[in-house]
Amino acid sequence: LLIHWPNAQVPLKESIAALCDTKRRGMAKHIGISNFTTPMIAEALKLTTEPIVCNQVEYHPRLDQTKVLAACRAANMAMVSYCPIGRGAVGGLMEDPKVVAIAKAKGKTPAQVLLRWHVQQPGVCAIPRSSSPERIAQNLDVGSFSLSEDDMKTLHALKRPDGRIVNLPIAPRWDT
């Protein structure tokens, strides 16, 4: 069970207490947070009486989440990536020439390369969205290959200041 978006109108102490109570009552096996910045992670960890197992955040090669990932690792939490392959828009990650080149060299799809980039990083997992059974099967087949250190560096180098896709009005002030 996750706090999906932090709500400035509800004190974090109340939200974390409710999560912990839900877990203690056996209504959730694990609890987590979503869209939490590094200061919010630190605050949540001070307030919790139960382990927080993950922080679900937007993450893909165009969005640098180095600080959030470091905070998750330090807290022994997984970082769960949403929008891990970007969105299917023209000019998106799956059309990036560097992603396409790696995919071609590996005999894989760009989506598989992007998902492999996620799972090859310690403590990171990805939750891609697809309604196509064929793409879902492809998305699950990311354990059959690996990316080289150079491939990983190439993909990490795609980060850019305007890389965030999801930035709702209720969003916190993101780490930079």
Side-chain angles (χ1 to χ4, degrees):
L1 179 65
L2 306 181
I3 296 174
H4 186 64
W5 279 95
N7 184 335
Q9 305 298 315
V10 179
L12 188 57
K13 183 177 183 176
E14 290 179 24
S15 296
I16 296 296
L19 271 181
C20 292
D21 184 56
T22 301
K23 183 177 181 304
R24 275 192 304 276
R25 290 175 182 226
M27 296 165 43
K29 188 171 184 176
H30 300 287
I31 58 171
I33 52 182
S34 182
N35 297 301
F36 273 45
T37 62
T38 55
M40 295 171 89
I41 293 168
E43 184 179 356
L45 292 171
K46 286 179 188 173
L47 296 170
T48 193
T49 58
E50 299 290 333
I52 296 176
V53 300
C54 69
N55 186 17
Q56 180 181 311
V57 295
E58 178 183 346
Y59 185 45
H60 46 76
R62 287 191 177 157
L63 181 59
D64 184 10
Q65 288 281 33
T66 305
K67 291 178 183 177
V68 172
L69 181 54
C72 288
R73 285 178 176 156
N76 201 29
M77 294 174 13
M79 191 166 94
V80 179
S81 307
Y82 68 79
C83 293
I85 58 176
R87 292 215 169 125
V90 174
L93 269 169
M94 291 199 296
E95 293 180 353
D96 186 285
K98 292 178 180 176
V99 174
V100 171
I102 294 169
K104 188 174 183 179
K106 300 285 182 191
K108 298 294 179 181
T109 68
Q112 287 173 310
V113 166
L114 292 167
L115 293 172
R116 182 66 202 179
W117 175 82
H118 287 274
V119 300
Q120 202 161 307
Q121 297 175 66
V124 177
C125 60
I127 51 172
R129 181 185 142 203
S130 181
S131 57
S132 161
E134 180 183 1
R135 280 194 216 108
I136 292 169
Q138 289 172 352
N139 290 348
L140 290 171
D141 183 31
V142 297
S144 64
F145 72 103
S146 61
L147 299 172
S148 70
E149 190 174 318
D150 286 342
D151 293 335
M152 293 295 285
K153 285 179 183 177
T154 296
L155 295 171
H156 278 291
L158 295 177
K159 64 186 171 193
R160 56 191 210 194
D162 66 344
R164 187 172 297 282
I165 297 168
V166 180
N167 199 11
L168 303 176
I170 62 168
R173 182 179 196 135
W174 301 114
D175 293 289
T176 54

